[in-house]
Amino acid sequence: AQSVTQLDSHVSVSEGTPVLLRCNYSSSYSPSLFWYVQHPNKGLQLLLKYTSAATLVKGINGFEAEFKKSETSFHLTKPSAHMSDAAEYFCVVTRAYSSASKIIFGSGTRLSIRP
Amino acid sequence: EAGVVQSPRYKIIEKKQPVAFWCNPISGHNTLYWYRQNLGQGPELLIRYENEEAVDDSQLPKDRFSAERLKGVDSTLKIQPAELGDSAVYLCASSLEVGGGPAYEQYFGPGTRLTVT
Protein backbone atom coordinates (compact mmCIF):
# COMPACT_ATOMS: atom_id res chain seq x y z
CA ALA A 1 0.00 0.00 0.00
CA GLN A 2 1.09 3.56 -0.60
CA SER A 3 0.18 6.89 0.91
CA VAL A 4 1.51 10.42 0.99
CA THR A 5 1.06 13.15 3.58
CA GLN A 6 1.79 16.79 3.02
CA LEU A 7 2.30 18.13 6.49
CA ASP A 8 1.27 21.73 5.85
CA SER A 9 -1.82 22.84 3.99
CA HIS A 10 -0.53 26.40 3.77
CA VAL A 11 2.96 27.90 3.96
CA SER A 12 3.67 31.62 3.87
CA VAL A 13 7.18 33.06 3.45
CA SER A 14 8.67 36.40 2.62
CA GLU A 15 10.21 37.00 -0.78
CA GLY A 16 13.89 36.14 -0.74
CA THR A 17 13.65 33.73 2.21
CA PRO A 18 13.94 29.92 2.06
CA VAL A 19 11.02 27.67 1.23
CA LEU A 20 10.36 24.29 2.83
CA LEU A 21 7.35 22.18 1.85
CA ARG A 22 7.16 18.91 3.72
CA CYS A 23 6.11 15.54 2.37
CA ASN A 24 6.14 12.14 4.08
CA TYR A 25 5.30 8.95 2.26
CA SER A 26 4.51 5.35 2.99
CA SER A 27 5.21 2.61 0.49
CA SER A 28 5.55 -1.16 0.57
CA TYR A 29 7.92 -0.94 -2.38
CA SER A 30 10.77 1.26 -3.48
CA PRO A 31 8.92 4.44 -4.36
CA SER A 32 9.09 6.91 -7.14
CA LEU A 33 8.35 10.39 -5.83
CA PHE A 34 7.38 13.58 -7.60
CA TRP A 35 6.59 17.20 -6.89
CA TYR A 36 4.10 18.99 -9.14
CA VAL A 37 3.13 22.66 -9.08
CA GLN A 38 -0.26 24.09 -10.00
CA HIS A 39 -0.55 27.80 -10.68
CA PRO A 40 -4.05 29.30 -10.67
CA ASN A 41 -5.96 28.47 -13.82
CA LYS A 42 -3.02 26.52 -15.22
CA GLY A 43 -2.27 22.85 -15.60
CA LEU A 44 -0.09 20.85 -13.24
CA GLN A 45 3.59 20.95 -14.09
CA LEU A 46 6.36 18.61 -12.96
CA LEU A 47 8.97 20.27 -10.73
CA LEU A 48 11.18 17.25 -10.10
CA LYS A 49 11.16 13.50 -9.58
CA TYR A 50 13.05 10.80 -7.72
CA THR A 51 13.27 7.33 -9.25
CA SER A 52 15.98 5.52 -7.25
CA ALA A 53 18.96 7.40 -8.62
CA ALA A 54 20.59 10.29 -6.72
CA THR A 55 18.83 11.08 -3.45
CA LEU A 56 19.20 14.84 -3.93
CA VAL A 57 17.10 15.83 -6.90
CA LYS A 58 17.26 19.19 -8.61
CA GLY A 59 14.27 20.52 -10.46
CA ILE A 60 13.13 23.55 -12.35
CA ASN A 61 13.02 27.11 -11.05
CA GLY A 62 15.65 26.47 -8.38
CA PHE A 63 13.71 23.85 -6.45
CA GLU A 64 15.25 20.68 -5.10
CA ALA A 65 14.20 17.78 -2.91
CA GLU A 66 16.03 15.15 -0.91
CA PHE A 67 14.85 11.56 -0.63
CA LYS A 68 15.44 10.30 2.93
CA LYS A 69 14.49 6.66 3.22
CA SER A 70 15.11 6.49 6.97
CA GLU A 71 12.68 9.35 7.54
CA THR A 72 10.31 8.39 4.69
CA SER A 73 10.42 12.00 3.58
CA PHE A 74 10.78 13.92 0.34
CA HIS A 75 10.73 17.58 1.34
CA LEU A 76 10.83 20.32 -1.28
CA THR A 77 13.14 23.30 -0.77
CA LYS A 78 14.24 26.47 -2.46
CA PRO A 79 16.91 28.82 -1.08
CA SER A 80 15.16 32.05 -2.01
CA ALA A 81 11.46 32.48 -2.71
CA HIS A 82 10.20 34.53 -5.61
CA MET A 83 6.76 36.04 -6.00
CA SER A 84 6.16 33.78 -9.00
CA ASP A 85 6.51 30.71 -6.74
CA ALA A 86 3.09 31.36 -5.23
CA ALA A 87 1.04 28.30 -6.20
CA GLU A 88 -0.27 24.94 -5.00
CA TYR A 89 2.30 22.15 -4.67
CA PHE A 90 1.57 18.45 -4.72
CA CYS A 91 3.74 15.55 -3.60
CA VAL A 92 3.08 12.29 -5.47
CA VAL A 93 4.11 8.71 -4.74
CA THR A 94 4.02 5.72 -7.00
CA ARG A 95 5.99 2.55 -7.52
CA ALA A 96 8.68 2.59 -10.12
CA TYR A 97 8.25 0.56 -13.25
CA SER A 98 5.22 -1.44 -12.32
CA SER A 99 2.04 -1.38 -14.34
CA ALA A 100 0.16 -2.36 -11.18
CA SER A 101 1.31 0.68 -9.27
CA LYS A 102 -1.10 3.20 -7.83
CA ILE A 103 -0.52 6.92 -8.23
CA ILE A 104 -1.23 8.83 -5.04
CA PHE A 105 -1.34 12.63 -4.84
CA GLY A 106 -1.02 14.45 -1.55
CA SER A 107 -3.67 16.95 -0.53
CA GLY A 108 -1.47 19.87 -1.53
CA THR A 109 0.35 22.77 0.10
CA ARG A 110 -0.55 26.31 -0.85
CA LEU A 111 2.54 28.51 -0.92
CA SER A 112 2.06 32.24 -0.41
CA ILE A 113 4.85 34.76 -0.86
CA ARG A 114 4.83 38.01 1.12
CA PRO A 115 6.46 41.04 -0.55
CA GLU B 1 4.59 21.01 -29.57
CA ALA B 2 0.93 21.10 -28.60
CA GLY B 3 0.10 20.15 -25.05
CA VAL B 4 -2.72 18.03 -23.73
CA VAL B 5 -6.01 19.40 -25.02
CA GLN B 6 -9.24 19.11 -23.10
CA SER B 7 -12.73 20.23 -23.90
CA PRO B 8 -14.93 21.74 -22.78
CA ARG B 9 -13.13 23.95 -20.25
CA TYR B 10 -16.30 24.58 -18.29
CA LYS B 11 -19.60 22.73 -18.06
CA ILE B 12 -22.71 23.40 -16.01
CA ILE B 13 -25.44 20.77 -15.98
CA GLU B 14 -28.39 19.79 -13.85
CA LYS B 15 -28.23 16.64 -11.79
CA LYS B 16 -29.30 13.45 -13.52
CA GLN B 17 -28.12 14.80 -16.86
CA PRO B 18 -25.29 13.13 -18.81
CA VAL B 19 -21.98 14.84 -19.51
CA ALA B 20 -18.88 13.96 -21.50
CA PHE B 21 -15.32 15.23 -21.46
CA TRP B 22 -12.82 14.86 -24.25
CA CYS B 23 -9.04 14.66 -24.09
CA ASN B 24 -6.40 14.65 -26.80
CA PRO B 25 -2.98 13.70 -25.40
CA ILE B 26 0.42 14.79 -26.59
CA SER B 27 1.26 13.11 -29.86
CA GLY B 28 3.11 9.83 -29.34
CA HIS B 29 2.23 9.45 -25.67
CA ASN B 30 1.08 5.92 -25.02
CA THR B 31 -0.34 6.43 -21.53
CA LEU B 32 -3.37 8.53 -20.67
CA TYR B 33 -4.83 9.38 -17.29
CA TRP B 34 -8.10 10.82 -16.07
CA TYR B 35 -8.16 12.47 -12.65
CA ARG B 36 -10.82 14.15 -10.57
CA GLN B 37 -9.78 17.07 -8.38
CA ASN B 38 -12.18 18.29 -5.73
CA LEU B 39 -11.81 21.79 -4.35
CA GLY B 40 -8.88 22.04 -1.95
CA GLN B 41 -7.69 18.49 -2.60
CA GLY B 42 -5.14 16.72 -4.70
CA PRO B 43 -6.07 14.93 -7.92
CA GLU B 44 -7.50 11.45 -7.58
CA LEU B 45 -6.79 8.97 -10.35
CA LEU B 46 -9.93 7.63 -11.99
CA ILE B 47 -8.47 5.57 -14.80
CA ARG B 48 -5.16 4.97 -16.54
CA TYR B 49 -4.77 3.68 -20.08
CA GLU B 50 -1.74 2.12 -21.68
CA ASN B 51 -2.54 2.42 -25.36
CA GLU B 52 -6.13 1.14 -25.65
CA GLU B 53 -6.06 -0.92 -22.46
CA ALA B 54 -7.37 0.36 -19.14
CA VAL B 55 -4.69 -0.90 -16.75
CA ASP B 56 -6.07 0.75 -13.61
CA ASP B 57 -9.72 1.69 -13.24
CA SER B 58 -10.09 0.72 -9.60
CA GLN B 59 -11.16 4.22 -8.57
CA LEU B 60 -13.67 4.74 -11.38
CA PRO B 61 -17.29 4.66 -10.10
CA LYS B 62 -18.45 2.23 -12.71
CA ASP B 63 -22.14 2.58 -12.00
CA ARG B 64 -22.17 6.04 -13.54
CA PHE B 65 -18.75 6.71 -15.03
CA SER B 66 -17.38 5.26 -18.23
CA ALA B 67 -14.34 5.96 -20.33
CA GLU B 68 -12.95 4.90 -23.64
CA ARG B 69 -9.76 5.38 -25.57
CA LEU B 70 -10.38 4.15 -29.06
CA LYS B 71 -7.32 3.65 -31.26
CA GLY B 72 -5.10 4.48 -28.31
CA VAL B 73 -5.13 8.22 -28.95
CA ASP B 74 -7.83 10.55 -27.67
CA SER B 75 -10.21 9.63 -24.90
CA THR B 76 -13.68 10.41 -23.61
CA LEU B 77 -14.88 10.30 -20.02
CA LYS B 78 -18.62 10.16 -19.48
CA ILE B 79 -20.85 10.55 -16.45
CA GLN B 80 -24.45 9.36 -16.63
CA PRO B 81 -26.35 10.42 -14.65
CA ALA B 82 -24.46 13.21 -12.94
CA GLU B 83 -24.88 13.82 -9.22
CA LEU B 84 -24.25 16.94 -7.16
CA GLY B 85 -21.11 15.35 -5.72
CA ASP B 86 -19.57 15.05 -9.16
CA SER B 87 -18.85 18.79 -9.22
CA ALA B 88 -15.07 18.96 -9.58
CA VAL B 89 -12.29 19.61 -12.04
CA TYR B 90 -11.58 16.69 -14.34
CA LEU B 91 -7.98 16.51 -15.44
CA CYS B 92 -6.46 14.57 -18.28
CA ALA B 93 -2.75 13.79 -18.44
CA SER B 94 -0.49 11.83 -20.74
CA SER B 95 2.99 10.36 -20.62
CA LEU B 96 5.37 8.28 -22.68
CA GLU B 97 6.20 5.16 -20.70
CA VAL B 98 8.69 2.76 -22.15
CA GLY B 99 9.47 0.54 -19.19
CA GLY B 100 6.06 -0.17 -17.77
CA GLY B 101 4.52 1.62 -14.83
CA PRO B 102 3.67 5.24 -14.04
CA ALA B 103 7.11 6.52 -13.16
CA TYR B 104 7.38 9.01 -15.97
CA GLU B 105 6.56 12.67 -16.18
CA GLN B 106 2.91 13.32 -16.74
CA TYR B 107 1.80 16.28 -18.83
CA PHE B 108 -1.50 17.70 -17.69
CA GLY B 109 -4.22 19.46 -19.59
CA PRO B 110 -5.97 22.54 -18.19
CA GLY B 111 -8.94 20.53 -16.96
CA THR B 112 -12.70 20.72 -17.29
CA ARG B 113 -14.52 22.39 -14.44
CA LEU B 114 -17.87 20.64 -13.95
CA THR B 115 -20.66 22.18 -11.92
CA VAL B 116 -23.72 20.04 -11.23
CA THR B 117 -26.75 21.99 -9.99
Side-chain angles (χ1 to χ4, degrees):
Chain A
Q2 294 166 308
S3 66
V4 61
T5 302
Q6 292 185 242
L7 298 168
D8 307 290
S9 59
H10 183 212
V11 170
S12 179
V13 302
S14 296
E15 190 176 19
T17 64
V19 174
L20 171 64
L21 305 183
R22 298 183 294 165
C23 173
N24 285 355
Y25 71 91
S26 172
S27 178
S28 304
Y29 310 97
S30 293
S32 288
L33 294 155
F34 306 76
W35 277 98
Y36 281 85
V37 61
Q38 187 175 37
H39 287 94
N41 298 317
K42 291 189 177 180
L44 285 145
Q45 180 185 17
L46 180 70
L47 276 178
L48 50 80
K49 67 176 181 180
Y50 165 79
T51 53
S52 74
T55 56
L56 182 61
V57 181
K58 294 188 183 298
I60 62 172
N61 300 334
F63 284 94
E64 62 181 39
E66 186 171 8
F67 172 70
K68 292 186 176 181
K69 185 177 180 179
S70 60
E71 299 177 10
T72 62
S73 69
F74 190 59
H75 301 335
L76 182 70
T77 60
K78 183 174 181 178
S80 177
H82 192 272
M83 295 300 291
S84 61
D85 295 327
E88 190 87 16
Y89 292 79
F90 294 96
C91 183
V92 182
V93 65
T94 185
R95 176 186 177 187
Y97 311 113
S98 169
S99 60
S101 179
K102 299 295 181 185
I103 304 169
I104 309 296
F105 275 72
S107 56
T109 298
R110 181 164 60 92
L111 176 63
S112 299
I113 312 296
R114 301 187 299 271
Chain B
E1 177 183 279
V4 176
V5 178
Q6 290 187 249
S7 67
R9 291 293 310 275
Y10 304 90
K11 189 74 176 180
I12 301 174
I13 61 171
E14 294 182 347
K15 62 181 180 182
K16 301 185 181 179
Q17 294 301 306
V19 64
F21 313 122
W22 176 80
C23 173
N24 185 249
I26 291 173
S27 177
H29 281 191
N30 56 353
T31 303
L32 184 146
Y33 312 74
W34 281 105
Y35 291 88
R36 176 170 58 190
Q37 185 175 20
N38 291 310
L39 189 64
Q41 299 182 20
E44 174 191 16
L45 182 68
L46 293 175
I47 189 168
R48 174 166 65 95
Y49 284 94
E50 289 183 7
N51 300 305
E52 302 90 352
E53 182 183 1
V55 296
D56 183 359
D57 63 356
S58 57
Q59 297 295 102
L60 190 71
K62 298 181 183 63
D63 57 336
R64 297 184 299 108
F65 285 64
S66 64
E68 61 182 11
R69 191 185 184 199
L70 300 177
K71 301 181 181 179
V73 182
D74 55 358
S75 176
T76 302
L77 177 69
K78 297 178 181 178
I79 308 175
Q80 183 172 8
E83 298 179 353
L84 294 176
D86 295 331
S87 293
V89 176
Y90 291 82
L91 298 168
C92 179
S94 70
S95 65
L96 177 61
E97 300 182 8
V98 296
Y104 298 88
E105 176 175 2
Q106 296 179 48
Y107 294 81
F108 284 82
T112 297
R113 183 176 298 277
L114 174 67
T115 302
V116 182
T117 63

